[in-house]
Amino acid sequence: MCGIVGYAGKNRAVPYLLEGLEKLEYRGYDSAGIAVAEGGALRVTKTRGRISNLEALIAAEHQSPATVGIGHTRWATHGKPNDVNAHPHRSMSGRFCVVHNGIIENYLQLKAALQAEGYVFVSETDTEVIAHLLDKSWDGDFVSTVRKTAAQLEGAYAICVLCSDCPDQIVCTRWGSPLVLGVCESGTFIGSDVTAILRHTNDVYYLDGHETALVDAHGAVFFGKDGAAVDKQPRRIEWNLSAAQKGGYEHFMLKEIMEQPKAFSDTVSPRITADGTIAFEDFRLTDDEIRRLRRVAVVACGSAYHAGAAGKYVLEKLTRLPVEIDIASEFRYRDPVLDEDTLVVVISQSGETADTLAALRLANERGCKTLCIVNVVSSSIANEGGSVIYTHAGPEIAVATTKAYSAQVAVLYLIAGYLAGKKGLLDKEQLAAYCKDLSAMPALIQKTLDDCEKQIQALSQMFIPLEHAYFIGRNLDYACAMEASLKMKEISYIHSEAYAAGELKHGTISLIEKGTLVVALAAYSDVFQKTLSNIKEVKARGARVLAVSTERHVDALGEVDYRILIPDCNPLFSVTLEVLPMQLLGYYTARARGCDIDKPRNLAKSVTVE
Ligand code: AGP
């Protein structure tokens, strides 16, 4: 969604701001803008559309020598994606310019009060109230004015402010939306995520909630919620910018699909000990608390929810705890039944998804044990979770998740084995065998990708003209069907549905007619025969069936029209292999249809609004 950059340094700010905004393009946006401090005035340039439009406008309008500035990519929430609603927003006096990520929930009340005092609004955004509040709160002290303004805001915000009275400085603050700062030789950089500043430094400061930073060319001074100075230490980012570049691939999505052997291995291997047990760096439940657990609730959105759906089957099978899985936007408003013997597992790649964060806060408030599976270090969900297990997938840029999903599923396998061991449901030998199977997966992921890419490329041809596709499966295969269907629809714009195979005959089978394409996920041995019956049902109604199964079932597959075979593995881990051809199928279909694969329409990488 929206992205923020800022720079205060020795050099011209505009090239750094544009470069930072380009690094944030992957988050999804529909307008972009910058503001720079030029002597006693603030110059704003902003426009609807891509950053290339902004570059053209800047090239035509000015070659500003300013060395301090802020920038923004906006993903429209309040008001249309047009030039006026684009950030930065200027206060009525012209003293302040602000860029903002998040949503100000009380903006209508604030706006009415400001209008009653004569403030004139030009945009439809919630952000403009911040600009005018800054004017109203101005007390001659830049930091104090920003803090007084932020204290009136409800909702989520990360804001960066320029003030014409302090042209060498930027003040930023946040609550609920992230901000990161980096200090190096050429100046101080601000970003809403580290990719915006990684080219300049790997040592970054994560601004905590309600903290404020006063930034200039020499560094940053931090203030806590109470306004007292805070001594912050930088954190080292272990990956470099090349990890966030295409590296010769046509799209980030394909690169990230191909990185899955490493993402899985980096996530699993540090947690498997030499004697074949599982250990986590931050698992705060005691053995006693684990034994007392009565149930598990998994909460997430989108693909993270689908990872949780796969995890549910494995967790229940191994731990014999009831596991419920919920979409975060549903969970948070249904007054869920929770208690201290419930483990709430929250899953998020970005660690910033608004509904998932709200669900975590609800679980924390209700006294549950919370355990977060997160990819982005020091993100809001990671910071607020009871325990955190990081997926080591590295930066994921494509909007359609692939390697982060696989790493999330990998962590769920680890958690299931860990809890089963602690509960005495897997003995030492069984746990060691489980870990051995898990450690074998990266090589099998590699083999699957190597074996099926060409075949998928060919099979994708028949999806190109489709308007509808169906993905069916049972149990773990159903979890995979949901993810396969999402991958297809979100990047290729083909309508697709995932159905529990056994449920088809309760309604949806009426849509199956001669030529309908049905992808049958049939890898999980426990239900293979049952899924086979459902394949026969749709074939009998004229469907063309593309089956995905394992080598051990090849003879039983019978007369499906097309088949993709994945290697045999521990059946509980079959989703991890089965999803790979489905990711490739979505990718190659979208590519053949000429879609904008890494930045699909209307979507954002990190959904920071509810
Ligand atoms: C899937 O390809 C999407 N990017 C989306 O469904 C995503 O998984 C969802 O928005 C959750 O994001 P999160 O993992 O960052 O919380």
Side-chain angles (χ1 to χ4, degrees):
M1 298 208 135
C2 304
I4 285 178
V5 296
Y7 172 74
K10 301 185 210 153
N11 305 318
R12 282 185 60 227
V14 172
Y16 286 133
L17 296 175
L18 291 173
E19 168 209 283
L21 291 178
E22 275 165 11
K23 293 281 176 295
L24 296 178
E25 276 196 292
Y26 77 94
R27 296 167 66 96
Y29 69 104
D30 39 48
S31 59
I34 62 164
V36 290
E38 273 183 13
L42 304 180
R43 181 198 273 258
V44 175
T45 316
K46 56 185 186 174
T47 180
R48 181 189 176 165
R50 294 284 171 197
I51 289 167
S52 51
N53 299 1
L54 178 66
E55 282 166 344
L57 200 58
I58 290 171
E61 282 188 1
H62 63 85
Q63 286 296 318
S64 174
T67 58
V68 177
I70 55 179
H72 192 262
T73 46
R74 172 176 187 253
W75 189 85
T77 56
H78 297 62
K80 291 183 264 322
N82 60 23
D83 295 357
V84 176
N85 289 333
H87 297 211
H89 288 281
R90 209 190 269 280
S91 66
M92 203 165 86
S93 72
R95 175 175 276 128
F96 296 101
C97 276
V98 62
V99 290
H100 161 230
N101 283 1
I103 285 189
I104 306 304
E105 288 171 0
N106 59 337
Y107 88 103
L108 284 175
Q109 296 98 291
L110 293 170
K111 186 171 179 173
L114 286 161
Q115 282 173 323
E117 290 182 45
Y119 286 90
V120 177
F121 284 72
V122 294
S123 78
E124 302 161 274
T125 65
D126 54 339
T127 303
E128 197 180 345
V129 298
I130 305 175
H132 299 318
L133 277 179
L134 286 161
D135 257 356
K136 191 176 166 208
S137 309
W138 176 239
D139 60 10
D141 180 317
F142 194 6
V143 172
S144 147
T145 301
V146 172
R147 292 188 64 246
K148 279 197 286 187
T149 299
Q152 299 172 67
L153 307 177
E154 288 170 17
Y157 57 83
I159 56 178
C160 274
V161 185
L162 285 185
C163 174
S164 57
D165 287 38
C166 314
D168 300 329
Q169 297 172 329
I170 301 170
V171 174
C172 53
T173 188
R174 66 165 286 259
W175 168 247
S177 293
L179 272 182
V180 195
L181 290 85
V183 182
C184 64
E185 214 1 63
S186 46
T188 309
F189 293 83
I190 305 167
S192 49
D193 76 49
V194 288
T195 49
I197 57 181
L198 261 188
R199 194 167 94 80
H200 307 285
T201 179
N202 278 55
D203 296 315
V204 301
Y205 298 87
Y206 287 95
L207 205 62
D208 286 333
H210 297 301
E211 275 184 356
T212 306
L214 173 64
V215 170
D216 65 19
H218 309 292
V221 185
F222 299 96
F223 304 92
K225 188 175 181 183
D226 58 2
V230 179
D231 185 21
K232 282 181 91 70
Q233 293 307 312
R235 216 176 151 138
R236 182 115 191 114
I237 301 294
E238 294 303 340
W239 45 272
N240 58 29
L241 201 57
S242 66
Q245 286 171 339
K246 283 187 196 154
Y249 285 93
E250 193 180 341
H251 296 100
F252 279 111
M253 184 179 175
L254 187 59
K255 174 179 177 253
E256 289 160 5
I257 288 173
M258 296 305 171
E259 285 173 344
Q260 288 177 104
K262 179 168 170 12
F264 194 99
S265 169
D266 288 353
T267 300
V268 165
S269 54
R271 278 80 186 232
I272 292 185
T273 63
D275 59 345
T277 58
I278 295 169
F280 295 112
E281 50 289 10
D282 178 34
F283 197 98
R284 300 195 189 154
L285 270 70
T286 63
D287 290 0
D288 209 37
E289 285 171 329
I290 291 173
R291 277 189 288 271
R292 277 211 311 271
L293 286 178
R294 286 192 298 137
R295 67 195 184 100
V296 179
V298 182
V299 190
C301 300
S303 294
Y305 169 82
H306 299 156
K312 169 191 162 78
Y313 294 109
V314 182
L315 279 161
E316 282 191 336
K317 188 119 187 151
L318 293 190
T319 68
R320 304 314 299 151
L321 285 166
V323 179
E324 60 180 275
I325 162 99
D326 226 325
I327 294 166
S329 53
E330 291 294 313
F331 179 86
R332 63 183 288 197
Y333 292 118
R334 75 169 162 87
D335 192 12
V337 181
L338 299 166
D339 59 30
E340 59 177 13
D341 295 330
T342 305
L343 174 65
V344 176
V345 178
V346 170
I347 310 172
S348 175
Q349 186 285 130
S350 62
E352 302 295 345
T353 302
D355 284 317
T356 312
L357 179 59
L360 168 66
R361 287 180 178 156
L362 178 67
N364 281 336
E365 270 162 36
R366 300 266 174 105
C368 304
K369 312 278 181 300
T370 56
L371 169 60
C372 299
I373 301 173
V374 183
N375 197 40
V376 177
V377 173
S378 281
S379 52
S380 302
I381 290 174
N383 287 340
E384 296 185 33
S387 306
V388 181
I389 302 175
Y390 282 111
T391 47
H392 297 159
E396 192 178 62
I397 307 295
V399 165
T401 183
T402 51
K403 62 175 180 171
Y405 164 88
S406 291
Q408 288 161 352
V409 175
V411 169
L412 289 158
Y413 295 153
L414 286 166
I415 294 172
Y418 181 82
L419 294 179
K422 292 288 180 194
K423 284 166 67 73
L425 296 170
L426 287 182
D427 65 24
K428 209 162 171 291
E429 282 79 47
Q430 287 168 320
L431 187 57
Y434 183 83
C435 290
K436 193 166 168 233
D437 289 348
L438 209 43
S439 301
M441 291 305 289
L444 296 176
I445 295 172
Q446 188 64 61
K447 179 171 166 37
T448 308
L449 289 170
D450 292 345
D451 289 354
C452 74
E453 189 184 2
K454 284 266 163 332
Q455 187 193 3
I456 298 293
Q457 221 169 331
L459 285 171
S460 67
Q461 295 302 310
M462 67 183 175
F463 284 78
I464 298 168
L466 290 188
E467 284 180 24
H468 311 280
Y470 296 87
F471 293 78
I472 62 168
R474 288 168 177 256
N475 200 290
L476 279 163
D477 292 326
Y478 174 49
C480 186
M482 288 195 277
E483 179 58 9
S485 170
L486 181 62
K487 285 284 96 59
M488 179 59 74
K489 76 178 82 156
E490 69 180 330
I491 54 170
S492 76
Y493 314 142
I494 293 172
H495 165 242
S496 72
E497 282 195 40
Y499 243 78
E503 182 68 7
L504 272 180
K505 60 175 92 56
H506 298 286
T508 305
I509 204 163
S510 66
L511 294 171
I512 306 295
E513 56 187 352
K514 191 167 180 330
T516 306
L517 200 46
V518 175
V519 182
L521 284 310
Y524 187 44
S525 305
D526 282 19
V527 289
F528 175 76
Q529 288 302 333
K530 299 289 170 195
T531 306
L532 213 49
S533 309
N534 302 123
I535 290 175
K536 287 184 177 142
E537 285 163 8
V538 292
K539 278 222 52 93
R541 282 148 186 91
R544 290 176 293 157
V545 175
L546 164 60
V548 186
S549 191
T550 67
E551 279 154 10
R552 71 165 71 91
H553 296 307
V554 64
D555 295 335
L557 268 178
E559 76 286 17
V560 294
D561 301 276
Y562 317 94
R563 66 176 61 153
I564 300 166
L565 293 181
I566 58 170
D568 290 327
C569 64
N570 180 328
L572 288 178
F573 307 152
S574 57
V575 166
T576 289
L577 302 183
E578 195 177 30
V579 78
L580 304 170
M582 297 296 95
Q583 296 167 343
L584 287 166
L585 186 63
Y587 172 79
Y588 278 113
T589 305
R591 185 166 170 263
R593 284 166 64 100
C595 301
D596 189 354
I597 292 181
D598 286 335
K599 293 186 283 260
R601 70 184 177 207
N602 305 336
L603 293 180
K605 183 66 181 163
S606 174
V607 183
T608 49
V609 296
E610 64 166 301

